[in-house]
Amino acid sequence: MTFVLNKIITLILVPLYLCPFLPFIHIVKIFNQPQELISLSENGIGSEEDPVFLTAHRGVHAEAPENSLPAYEKAVEYGYYTAECDIQLTKDNEWVLNHNSDTGALFCEIGEISEYTLAELKTFSYKWGANFWEYEGLRIATLDEYLDIFVGTSTRPQIEIKGDNLDMLCKVVDAVKARNMEDQAIIISFDMEQLKVIDALDSGIELWYLCGEITPEIISSVKALDSECWLSPNFEDNTKASIQLAVDAGVGCSFWTVNELEDAKMLYDMGIRYIETDIFIN
């Protein structure tokens, strides 16, 4: 039933949806206009001598659809320190970029990523995201395509593992190693077991543990890994006291998602130099 519905959407509704002469697409464009990026340095936060190291959350999705190749090309262009992506596993065990486990948020066609092969997903059309109509033929990105953007650049790919899969993590490590990017790539996850598996593969790839509030238990868990592991906490879940726990413990931290100048300033004043953002540039 889903297959038939998606065929109808692809052959009939997508051309109508994207038709520039229909009023509906103009309404959609209003909600997907690019967003102005804000400079930290112009607002007195950071300097050339003591910079803030910025992560582009899901790429520069203020100017291109999130988790799309153009969003990461812009991250390299703007000189971000890292550019974060989310990867999901397809039916035929290929890693593709998408935050949600289903396609509904960004694509015209519907269904779970795990229900489709890569070839099937590559036929899906975008329906949402900044300026999506400007990128003709834009399709879901693979992990390989994403990594290729950063080869030979100073921007670091930051890969968030979605789902609870452990068996296919070796493919992520292999993709990084195939490009000699062990010292450049970062792998992040909310699942400590996933990080332990990657750590056991002896990849040499930097690991970050995603979390909510920083606690002594979380600090102990990242210190227990054989490889050095950073924390990537949700800024909204933390107070100055919990942030100070990590600072005092000497654990590296990169906070997500920081979009207010006063929050960036507070972190900077506390000695935090790594933040993930939707709208800031240096």
Side-chain angles (χ1 to χ4, degrees), residues 168-218:
M168 292 294 111
L169 295 180
C170 57
K171 294 188 69 171
V172 179
V173 173
D174 288 345
V176 170
K177 284 188 168 183
R179 293 162 177 80
N180 297 314
M181 298 176 79
E182 294 96 320
D183 293 334
Q184 185 179 358
I186 302 168
I187 295 178
I188 68 176
S189 178
F190 281 102
D191 187 342
M192 181 56 74
E193 291 306 309
Q194 290 179 335
L195 296 182
K196 287 178 180 178
V197 168
I198 294 168
D199 194 35
L201 291 171
D202 194 26
S203 66
I205 301 170
E206 189 170 306
L207 305 176
W208 291 10
Y209 180 49
L210 290 158
C211 66
E213 182 184 6
I214 300 169
T215 64
E217 292 74 22
I218 285 176

Side-chain angles (χ1 to χ4, degrees), residues 60 63 70-80 149-150 153 155 281:
V60 185
E63 295 188 350
Y72 296 107
E73 290 166 353
K74 288 182 177 295
V76 171
E77 177 186 342
Y78 286 127
Y80 277 87
I149 288 174
F150 303 98
T153 76
T155 301
I281 55 174

Side-chain angles (χ1 to χ4, degrees), residues 93-112:
N93 290 326
E94 297 294 337
W95 289 104
V96 294
L97 274 59
N98 203 58
H99 178 265
N100 296 346
S101 63
D102 64 276
T103 61
L106 292 179
F107 299 94
C108 291
E109 294 79 1
I110 60 174
E112 294 289 316

Side-chain angles (χ1 to χ4, degrees), residues 52-254:
V52 178
F53 297 90
L54 292 176
T55 295
H57 180 225
R58 305 181 195 175
V60 185
H61 69 93
E63 295 188 350
E66 67 176 51
N67 277 301
S68 72
L69 296 180
Y72 296 107
E73 290 166 353
K74 288 182 177 295
V76 171
E77 177 186 342
Y78 286 127
Y80 277 87
Y81 175 65
T82 76
E84 182 260 358
C85 76
D86 309 281
I87 60 172
Q88 306 274 358
L89 204 59
T90 67
K91 184 178 181 179
D92 51 346
N93 290 326
E94 297 294 337
W95 289 104
V96 294
L97 274 59
N98 203 58
H99 178 265
N100 296 346
S101 63
D102 64 276
T103 61
L106 292 179
F107 299 94
C108 291
E109 294 79 1
I110 60 174
E112 294 289 316
I113 296 287
S114 59
E115 294 177 347
Y116 297 105
T117 65
L118 174 59
E120 290 168 335
L121 288 167
K122 280 290 190 181
T123 67
F124 287 13
S125 303
Y126 275 78
K127 69 171 183 182
W128 205 257
N131 280 335
F132 74 88
W133 57 90
E134 297 287 349
Y135 302 100
E136 186 176 352
L138 184 63
R139 295 293 185 263
I140 196 168
T142 66
L143 175 61
D144 287 327
E145 291 169 333
Y146 162 81
L147 287 172
D148 285 342
I149 288 174
F150 303 98
V151 174
T153 76
S154 60
T155 301
R156 304 181 68 179
Q158 185 181 135
I159 307 160
E160 179 178 346
I161 310 293
K162 291 291 188 180
D164 56 4
N165 184 281
L166 297 177
D167 295 337
M168 292 294 111
L169 295 180
C170 57
K171 294 188 69 171
V172 179
V173 173
D174 288 345
V176 170
K177 284 188 168 183
R179 293 162 177 80
N180 297 314
M181 298 176 79
E182 294 96 320
D183 293 334
Q184 185 179 358
I186 302 168
I187 295 178
I188 68 176
S189 178
F190 281 102
D191 187 342
M192 181 56 74
E193 291 306 309
Q194 290 179 335
L195 296 182
K196 287 178 180 178
V197 168
I198 294 168
D199 194 35
L201 291 171
D202 194 26
S203 66
I205 301 170
E206 189 170 306
L207 305 176
W208 291 10
Y209 180 49
L210 290 158
C211 66
E213 182 184 6
I214 300 169
T215 64
E217 292 74 22
I218 285 176
I219 291 173
S220 295
S221 67
V222 299
K223 286 193 167 187
L225 286 174
D226 290 336
S227 300
E228 181 181 359
C229 184
W230 279 42
L231 282 178
S232 185
N234 183 353
F235 174 75
E236 291 188 353
D237 289 341
N238 284 277
T239 63
K240 285 186 176 183
S242 62
I243 295 169
Q244 194 63 46
L245 283 176
V247 172
D248 293 343
V251 176
C253 284
S254 176

